[in-house]
Amino acid sequence: MSHIGNAIEKRDQGPGAMVEQYQDSLAVVMPSHLQGRVAAWVRTTQGLLRRDPKLMEAAQNDVGQFLAVLMDAHRLGLEPGTEQYHLIPRWNRKKGCTEVTGVRGYQGEIELMYRAGAVSSVIVEVVYDADRFEYRPGRDERPLHDVDWDTEDRGELRLAYAYAVMKDGATSKVVVLNRGHIAKAKAKSDSASGKYPHLSPWVTDTEAMWLKTAARRLAKWVPTSAEYMRDHLQVAKEVAAALPPSLLNFPAPAPGTVDDDDPIEAELID
């Protein structure tokens, strides 16, 4: 009987059970209009753990780190384990094991721009070698990007660009990144340089990471929900204060939740 009891106790301390246990705390830091979705997000996260042994192992290695990553995703109002917010196993040299790190996806970056309420549309695209692309700062308000959709092979990724159309019709700064800029962003990413780089979205979804890098650079030039996030960070601190310190060291963002480099202060990056 004691063996069974120990097994149940161990199971109940697993990542999936802990996510459900702290569901109410995760809901507190979520945007108010999303709090009704926390149960669905918890089920999605538990499903990801069951389907991905490496993610489960990383979460088990440090449940507190895993919960901190989820807290960050919920605070931002981005669904973990989706294109909005990736959950990635990352090797921690100091611990000698993998842990879960969070990486905002390009859809997450775009969502934060829309949530601020100042933009009517956000355009984030990649350019392949076979595409036609023209943009001259000072002459062109927006890039010209022509794609031959009948072409079976558009070649290699060449550029990524992003801009927003504001609600008053004005066009934001236009960000253009070439392969060199993308390579620098990738080199600074924890998920791409760890012990398991093949699990990084830089490898599993390269185009999405090009889009994400361009979207993140654009965020400097358009209003985002940064003020809202600062308010909820304070709420997250208060929630974390009530949690067992052995489980959760928050509010400092978990290592890797803020990846890539800082926005470049230029309209056209060359």
Side-chain angles (χ1 to χ4, degrees):
M1 179 67 72
S2 61
H3 176 73
I4 296 175
N6 291 338
I8 293 174
E9 182 179 355
K10 183 176 181 180
R11 180 196 65 194
D12 289 344
Q13 294 300 316
M18 297 304 292
V19 171
E20 187 168 358
Q21 180 178 340
Y22 288 103
Q23 177 174 313
D24 291 343
S25 297
L26 293 170
V28 168
V29 300
M30 287 181 72
S32 57
H33 69 286
L34 294 175
Q35 288 181 3
R37 299 177 60 184
V38 66
W41 286 18
V42 166
R43 290 193 297 271
T44 298
T45 303
Q46 291 173 325
L48 288 171
L49 291 170
R50 289 192 295 269
R51 294 191 301 270
D52 190 336
K54 291 189 179 297
L55 182 63
M56 172 65 85
E57 178 184 2
Q60 288 174 331
N61 289 336
D62 192 334
V63 178
Q65 164 76 5
F66 177 55
L67 290 175
V69 168
L70 293 183
M71 185 76 79
D72 182 65
H74 282 66
R75 176 175 61 85
L76 295 170
L78 304 178
E79 184 172 2
T82 69
E83 289 291 345
Q84 290 189 350
Y85 194 99
H86 302 281
L87 299 177
I88 309 295
R90 185 193 70 160
W91 181 256
N92 186 311
R93 293 187 182 90
K94 292 183 179 179
K95 297 178 182 176
C97 64
T98 57
E99 63 183 9
V100 177
T101 187
V103 179
R104 292 200 303 271
Y106 80 95
Q107 291 183 5
E109 299 287 354
I110 293 172
E111 170 64 20
L112 295 178
M113 296 181 206
Y114 277 118
R115 197 180 298 163
V119 303
S120 62
S121 62
V122 179
I123 292 82
V124 185
E125 296 288 349
V126 290
V127 180
Y128 286 84
D129 286 335
D131 299 351
R132 178 191 174 200
F133 180 83
E134 292 183 7
Y135 175 66
R136 292 186 184 179
R139 184 197 70 175
D140 303 326
E141 181 181 13
R142 302 171 187 175
L144 171 65
H145 183 195
D146 286 337
V147 179
D148 183 355
W149 297 110
D150 289 327
T151 301
E152 293 185 7
D153 184 2
R154 291 167 62 191
E156 299 293 327
L157 284 165
R158 181 164 66 95
L159 300 169
Y161 67 93
Y163 64 91
V165 178
M166 314 307 289
K167 286 192 172 178
D168 62 2
T171 301
S172 72
K173 293 285 187 178
V174 178
V175 170
V176 182
L177 305 175
N178 62 27
R179 289 170 180 151
H181 305 124
I182 298 296
K184 290 178 181 178
K186 179 180 178 181
K188 294 181 179 180
S189 171
D190 288 336
S191 65
S193 59
K195 187 175 182 179
Y196 300 105
H198 62 287
L199 300 177
S200 167
W202 282 103
V203 174
T204 61
D205 202 348
T206 303
E207 180 179 301
M209 292 306 290
W210 280 54
L211 292 167
K212 177 265 179 76
T213 305
R216 187 168 184 191
R217 298 287 175 86
L218 175 64
K220 175 180 174 60
W221 303 107
V222 300
T224 67
S225 54
E227 292 183 4
Y228 159 84
M229 288 187 288
R230 283 195 295 269
D231 293 341
H232 273 66
L233 182 56
Q234 180 59 40
V235 174
K237 291 179 181 179
E238 296 172 0
V239 171
L243 300 179
S246 60
L247 283 178
L248 188 57
N249 182 18
F250 194 80
T257 55
V258 180
D259 68 322
D260 300 331
D261 50 345
D262 295 329
I264 292 180
E265 298 187 9
E267 182 173 359
L268 176 65
I269 303 171
D270 54 27

